[in-house]
């Protein structure tokens, strides 16, 4: 199966400051739609990556991927609560099941991150939905997953808009993406952990330098599921829109990203506009990675891998890859060898699974 590269020639993909008509509902990417008008890549746009290769198959809703020293990855399965170790050779080993995971719709075992000090502390971090809340735990990992220790609890939970991405930043602080669980005003409440990007120390305390004296780094988010830093240390995030626009945002300390007062690049006092918006049928963007000068966003409803060129923090014209070839795409993570690992999400109740789904694909970004 060959990789297809698509560059939109309609006005459906918009840089910040433009406008467009509305389209169908967003959320976590329910339903399939017809692809937008497209053409071959014009000169000056990024070229197609190489042909994707299946690393592993027969996974159950793989939600997040985090690499260990040596090149193997830990992969979370949302509904089963299992953590699976996947080698570049494709070998899979279940290394633990997180106790107390209550999977429902978009909730379950979500993010995973490996400690930046793993060589000495052997810690991994997990985000999951428990009986009363969403929470972040840490556990030792040395071939088997140890007993999880809660470090952040009380994140509001719900069947939808549960956030869930974990990532350590260049500052070695842990960043946690949360959703507003369908209760929009929580996103504007700086004392709530919902609808936020949180920044905490490795033991879960508010990180030094946080703007409000608590765990909150930015607020006004509907549902963030992707975090990535560029080569200059700038943080970007994907965000699900409601009925009109999905977003990529440049994340800056203490900023208010507007939800539920505004969606996409609508005007509003004191709100930070996105760098880029898509209509919701083109994206429903989940995972995000940075590689070879571009952001790479995995699209659920849009069923494609978006490449967004960056130039000193400014975005270029997005290019779509893998369109309608592998179904819903959830996670995208840069591997130690420079490739991208991309997971499908066709067994999540909203996709059309192939016999060997769900899969992890390896894609060369250049």
């Amino acid at each position: 199966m060959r990789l297809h590269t698509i560059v939109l020639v309609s006005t459906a993909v918009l840089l910040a400051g433009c406008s467009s008509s509305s389209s169908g509902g967003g959320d976590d990417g329910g339903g399939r739609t017809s692809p937008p008008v497209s053409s071959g890549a014009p000169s000056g746009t990024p070229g197609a990556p190489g042909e994707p290769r299946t690393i592993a198959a027969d996974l159950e809703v793989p939600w997040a991927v985090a690499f260990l020293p040596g090149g193997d990855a830990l992969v979370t399965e949302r509904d089963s609560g299992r953590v699976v170790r996947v080698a570049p050779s494709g070998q899979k080993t279940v290394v633990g099941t997180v106790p107390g995971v209550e999977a429902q719709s978009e909730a379950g075992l979500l993010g995973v991150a490996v400690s930046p000090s793993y060589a000495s502390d052997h810690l991994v971090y997990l985000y999951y939905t428990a009986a009363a809340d969403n929470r972040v735990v840490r556990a030792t990992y040395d071939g088997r997953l140890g007993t999880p220790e809660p470090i952040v609890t009380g994140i509001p939970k719900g069947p939808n808009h549960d956030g869930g991405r974990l990532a350590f930043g260049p500052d070695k602080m842990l960043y946690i993406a949360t959703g507003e669980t369908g209760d929009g005003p929580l996103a504007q409440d700086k004392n709530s952990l919902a609808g936020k990007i949180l920044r905490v120390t490795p033991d879960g305390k508010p990180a030094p330098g946080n703007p409000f004296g608590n765990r909150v780094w930015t607020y006004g988010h509907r549902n963030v599921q992707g975090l990535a830093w560029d080569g200059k240390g700038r943080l970007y995030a994907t965000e699900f829109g409601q009925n009109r626009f999905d977003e990529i945002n440049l994340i800056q300390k203490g900023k208010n990203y507007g939800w539920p007062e505004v969606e996409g690049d609508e005007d509003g006092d004191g709100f930070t506009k996105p760098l880029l918006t898509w209509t919701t049928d083109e994206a429903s963007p989940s995972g995000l990675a940075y590689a070879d000068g571009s952001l790479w966003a995995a699209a659920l409803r849009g069923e494609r891998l978006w490449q967004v060129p960056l130039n000193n923090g400014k975005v270029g014209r997005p290019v779509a890859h893998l369109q309608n070839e592998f179904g819903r795409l959830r996670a995208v993570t840069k591997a130690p060898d420079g490739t991208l690992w991309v997971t499908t999400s066709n067994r999540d109740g909203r996709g059309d699974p192939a016999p060997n789904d769900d899969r992890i694909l390896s894609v060369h970004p250049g």
Side-chain angles (χ1 to χ4, degrees), residues 86-98:
V86 179
S89 66
Q91 181 180 355
K92 298 182 301 180
T93 307
V94 176
V95 298
T97 299
V98 178

Side-chain angles (χ1 to χ4, degrees), residues 66-155:
F67 284 93
L68 295 161
D72 287 6
L74 296 180
V75 180
T76 55
E77 291 185 329
R78 188 189 69 185
D79 294 353
S80 72
R82 299 188 305 185
V83 179
V84 183
R85 182 167 179 159
V86 179
S89 66
Q91 181 180 355
K92 298 182 301 180
T93 307
V94 176
V95 298
T97 299
V98 178
V101 172
E102 295 205 356
Q104 179 188 10
S105 187
E106 297 171 18
L109 179 59
L110 305 177
V112 60
V114 173
S115 168
S117 304
Y118 180 84
S120 58
D121 62 30
H122 289 263
L123 289 173
V124 298
Y125 293 73
L126 299 155
Y127 182 119
Y128 73 92
T129 308
D133 58 5
N134 285 313
R135 52 182 49 198
V136 178
V137 298
R138 65 181 179 184
T140 56
Y141 175 74
D142 196 0
R144 297 294 299 175
L145 191 69
T147 302
E149 170 200 4
I151 62 167
V152 179
T153 58
I155 301 170

Side-chain angles (χ1 to χ4, degrees), residues 29-359:
R32 293 194 176 196
T33 59
S34 299
V37 178
S38 59
S39 74
S43 60
T45 62
E51 184 173 358
R53 177 174 65 91
T54 296
I55 294 285
D58 300 312
L59 292 159
E60 297 182 25
V61 196
W63 206 94
V65 177
F67 284 93
L68 295 161
D72 287 6
L74 296 180
V75 180
T76 55
E77 291 185 329
R78 188 189 69 185
D79 294 353
S80 72
R82 299 188 305 185
V83 179
V84 183
R85 182 167 179 159
V86 179
S89 66
Q91 181 180 355
K92 298 182 301 180
T93 307
V94 176
V95 298
T97 299
V98 178
V101 172
E102 295 205 356
Q104 179 188 10
S105 187
E106 297 171 18
L109 179 59
L110 305 177
V112 60
V114 173
S115 168
S117 304
Y118 180 84
S120 58
D121 62 30
H122 289 263
L123 289 173
V124 298
Y125 293 73
L126 299 155
Y127 182 119
Y128 73 92
T129 308
D133 58 5
N134 285 313
R135 52 182 49 198
V136 178
V137 298
R138 65 181 179 184
T140 56
Y141 175 74
D142 196 0
R144 297 294 299 175
L145 191 69
T147 302
E149 170 200 4
I151 62 167
V152 179
T153 58
I155 301 170
K157 61 171 277 189
N160 299 312
H161 309 181
D162 258 22
R165 196 66 61 187
L166 296 179
F168 278 95
D171 56 3
K172 298 187 178 180
M173 297 294 113
L174 179 63
Y175 290 74
I176 306 165
T178 74
E180 37 79 304
T181 68
D183 186 353
L186 291 179
Q188 290 294 318
D189 181 357
K190 292 191 286 290
N191 294 312
S192 171
L193 299 181
K196 308 295 188 296
I197 294 175
L198 311 177
R199 177 176 174 264
V200 302
T201 64
D203 60 1
K205 301 295 191 296
N210 280 6
F212 310 114
N214 57 14
R215 293 182 172 103
V216 174
W217 185 246
T218 58
Y219 65 110
H221 298 289
R222 183 172 182 268
N223 190 20
V224 171
Q225 288 190 4
L227 299 170
W229 286 262
D230 68 13
K232 297 292 186 180
R234 289 174 287 234
L235 174 59
Y236 304 85
T238 55
E239 184 158 349
F240 290 88
Q242 184 174 31
N243 296 317
R244 301 181 64 209
F245 296 118
D246 296 321
E247 303 173 2
I248 286 183
N249 288 294
L250 174 64
I251 300 301
Q252 296 175 300
K253 174 181 176 179
K255 296 291 188 180
N256 182 351
Y257 289 81
W259 182 257
E261 302 302 320
V262 296
E263 180 182 358
D265 57 8
E266 295 172 341
D267 289 329
D269 291 338
F271 303 135
T272 301
K273 287 192 174 186
L275 290 177
L276 172 71
T277 65
W278 293 275
T279 56
T280 52
D281 59 342
E282 294 170 323
S284 296
S286 183
L288 188 68
Y290 175 78
D292 283 22
S294 292
L295 293 170
W296 301 80
L300 291 162
R301 189 178 180 196
E303 297 188 356
R304 66 201 80 175
L305 178 65
W306 281 109
Q307 178 182 4
V308 182
L310 285 179
N311 182 7
N312 197 30
K314 300 183 184 303
V315 295
R317 191 181 191 188
V319 181
H321 305 287
L322 310 183
Q323 185 168 359
N324 299 325
E325 292 202 35
F326 298 99
R328 294 161 59 79
L329 304 181
R330 170 75 65 179
V332 54
T333 307
K334 185 178 179 181
D337 65 1
T339 61
L340 299 172
W341 282 25
V342 181
T343 71
T344 68
S345 192
N346 294 318
R347 296 174 65 180
D348 63 5
R350 295 177 177 175
D352 183 15
N356 57 350
D357 278 336
D358 275 315
R359 287 174 278 179

